[in-house]
Amino acid sequence: MSQLVAIRGPARGIPKEGPPNLRDLDRDGLAAWLGAHLEGAPRHRAGQLFRWLHGRRVSDFSAMSDVPAADRARLAARASLRRLDVGAVLHARDGTRKLRLVTADGQSIESVLIPNDERGYTQCVSSQVGCALTCRFCATASLGFQRNLATWEIVDQVYQAQDLLARDGGEYAPRITNIVFMGMGEPLHNYNQVRRAIELLTDPDGAGLAARRITISSSGLVPAIERFAGDPLAKEVGLAISLNATTDAVRDEVMPINTRWNIAALLAAVRSVPPHRRRYVTFEYVLLAGVNDSDDDVRRLAALVGDIRCQINLIPFNPHPHAPYGRPSAARVRRFLDLCRAAGLRAYVRTPRGDDIGAACGQLALSGGQPSGHVSSDMSSAP
């Protein structure tokens, strides 16, 4: 039995030093801050600033050409527009890119851009520095848990990726069309910041992403899933659950969070989430050779989730040096898929993307990737 704790505490809190970062505020918060710190500013000033912050993604108040110079000077003295630094961009053979980003307090996080089958990209976004949970198949768990990310640090991952695509593609740059909170960290453990980030990313004056194209993943933080179920957000964005076992004994070992909230408690919480008319609940199931990939596992899986409007994403384990598991053979994966479908489950195999640069599911651990991946340093500032 693993000796890992179920949930780790952070090494530190979100940094509060220095002037506030205005990208951390939602519309109401921005208006309130301006009312308190920019005396005499007209009511429309908050809307102007919001568009500069989240639509044009400027990093200097001097770029806000329709804001009076005196107001720009006062804003520069009292607030920050700091952005994440881009430490490196790693390029995989399949077109996937991994952005290594550095925070103001020197912490590193990773975010992944995955080409869609059609035009556009899906971005995998991080919500914590490291992770509070201790899933044994996930490389991020080896980093420990440093802290939650601030709202601006979450949204700026998307803005940095948008800037990268714009620099590479010019006028005809592809767009980010989908966001999945499946990067570093447990998103629901950083609930308030993730929620506010989604509000900002879906604002038509910002990134303008469709809420139906955003998915939040959880490893089984039951109280937070129950909170999500009662939140209007649950009617807008998708939910993915990292299940990865069909018995408590196996899930306790693979995902120690199960020792706090077992499979029955987890599925009860999932059933409390209001059904989405356009989407299914997704169960992520990482296939570990000889651990959770048997024919009996399929039968138990069907019994566990067969009554839930869901789909199953089967993920052949992506090897890395931080986990003691192996990937099942292609034949074993195919049989597991066929048995799932025969049992009436809506099941798919997720093809590994970016595994040559350590960007595939479960591999984010600030690694440099394999020699076949191309690494480009990019320390240029955002526009």
Side-chain angles (χ1 to χ4, degrees):
M1 178 65 67
S2 170
Q3 299 302 308
L4 291 173
V5 297
I7 305 175
R8 294 179 284 208
R12 61 170 299 179
I14 296 173
K16 301 295 184 184
E17 304 86 3
N21 192 314
L22 295 188
R23 251 182 286 267
D24 211 48
L25 305 175
D26 59 19
R27 279 186 178 272
D28 290 342
L30 182 59
W33 188 90
L34 287 175
H37 295 88
L38 203 66
E39 301 84 355
R43 292 174 61 88
H44 69 270
R45 186 74 74 233
Q48 285 178 310
L49 287 178
F50 190 95
R51 288 186 288 275
W52 283 110
L53 295 171
H54 299 284
R56 302 187 184 182
R57 308 185 295 276
V58 298
S59 54
D60 194 317
F61 288 105
S62 65
M64 299 179 177
S65 56
D66 59 355
V67 176
D71 284 353
R72 280 181 268 160
R74 286 196 290 169
L75 287 167
R78 302 175 186 181
S80 168
L81 298 183
R82 185 181 179 105
R83 300 190 60 185
L84 299 170
D85 292 324
V86 182
V89 180
L90 286 73
H91 299 253
R93 290 185 297 263
D94 62 11
T96 297
R97 281 179 273 190
K98 182 167 71 170
L99 284 71
R100 184 163 303 141
L101 305 167
V102 183
T103 67
D105 59 338
Q107 303 288 339
S108 292
I109 58 174
E110 292 182 332
S111 187
V112 180
L113 272 174
I114 306 165
N116 296 335
D117 291 335
E118 68 278 6
R119 181 175 171 80
Y121 281 81
T122 292
Q123 185 172 5
C124 183
V125 173
S126 293
S127 55
Q128 296 179 322
V129 181
C131 187
L133 305 189
T134 55
C135 304
R136 295 191 68 207
F137 58 85
C138 181
T140 304
S142 69
L143 300 176
F145 178 34
Q146 296 302 309
R147 64 172 175 88
N148 286 325
L149 291 178
T151 300
W152 77 267
E153 292 171 321
I154 297 173
V155 299
D156 200 49
Q157 293 173 62
V158 180
Y159 298 164
Q160 292 288 357
Q162 287 178 315
D163 292 343
L164 173 66
L165 293 175
R167 287 194 295 271
D168 289 355
E171 182 180 357
Y172 302 103
R175 297 178 60 248
I176 296 168
T177 58
N178 298 69
I179 297 289
V180 292
F181 283 87
M182 298 181 183
M184 293 178 163
E186 163 63 42
L188 294 186
H189 195 245
N190 191 16
Y191 196 100
N192 291 334
Q193 279 68 239
V194 167
R195 194 194 193 291
R196 189 159 61 244
I198 291 172
E199 181 179 339
L200 293 172
L201 291 170
T202 55
D203 193 292
D205 286 337
L209 291 160
R212 69 181 184 276
R213 292 183 173 271
I214 296 176
T215 299
I216 296 176
S217 177
S218 178
S219 295
L221 203 60
V222 165
I225 295 171
E226 293 171 340
R227 178 183 178 185
F228 174 81
D231 191 321
L233 188 70
K235 298 180 180 179
E236 301 295 328
V237 307
L239 177 67
I241 299 295
S242 189
L243 185 58
N244 307 319
T246 60
T247 68
D248 283 327
V250 172
R251 199 165 191 270
D252 285 353
E253 175 65 20
V254 173
M255 304 180 70
I257 187 68
N258 199 72
T259 63
R260 292 280 293 274
W261 297 285
N262 64 15
I263 292 174
L266 171 60
L267 295 182
V270 172
R271 290 184 178 95
S272 73
V273 177
H276 198 294
R277 66 182 184 275
R278 293 186 301 268
R279 303 181 64 156
Y280 293 78
V281 171
T282 299
F283 286 102
E284 308 283 352
Y285 196 95
V286 177
L287 289 166
L288 308 170
V291 176
N292 65 356
D293 62 343
S294 69
D295 293 1
D296 285 340
D297 280 304
V298 176
R299 288 188 281 272
R300 288 190 291 264
L301 182 60
L304 286 170
V305 305
D307 66 320
I308 301 174
R309 189 172 185 266
C310 68
Q311 71 177 36
I312 313 296
N313 278 355
L314 302 176
I315 307 169
F317 174 67
N318 295 303
H320 56 82
H322 305 286
Y325 304 114
R327 178 183 290 181
S329 68
R332 182 68 247 173
V333 172
R334 183 69 209 185
R335 177 166 174 81
F336 199 97
L337 174 66
D338 290 344
L339 290 175
C340 281
R341 290 178 172 174
L345 297 175
R346 183 185 178 98
Y348 306 90
V349 174
R350 186 194 294 177
T351 302
R353 304 295 296 271
D355 53 348
D356 56 318
I357 57 169
C361 180
Q363 289 186 326
L364 298 186
L366 307 177
S367 60
Q370 300 300 319
S372 55
H374 170 65
V375 182
S376 63
S377 179
D378 186 352
M379 296 303 294
S380 59
S381 59

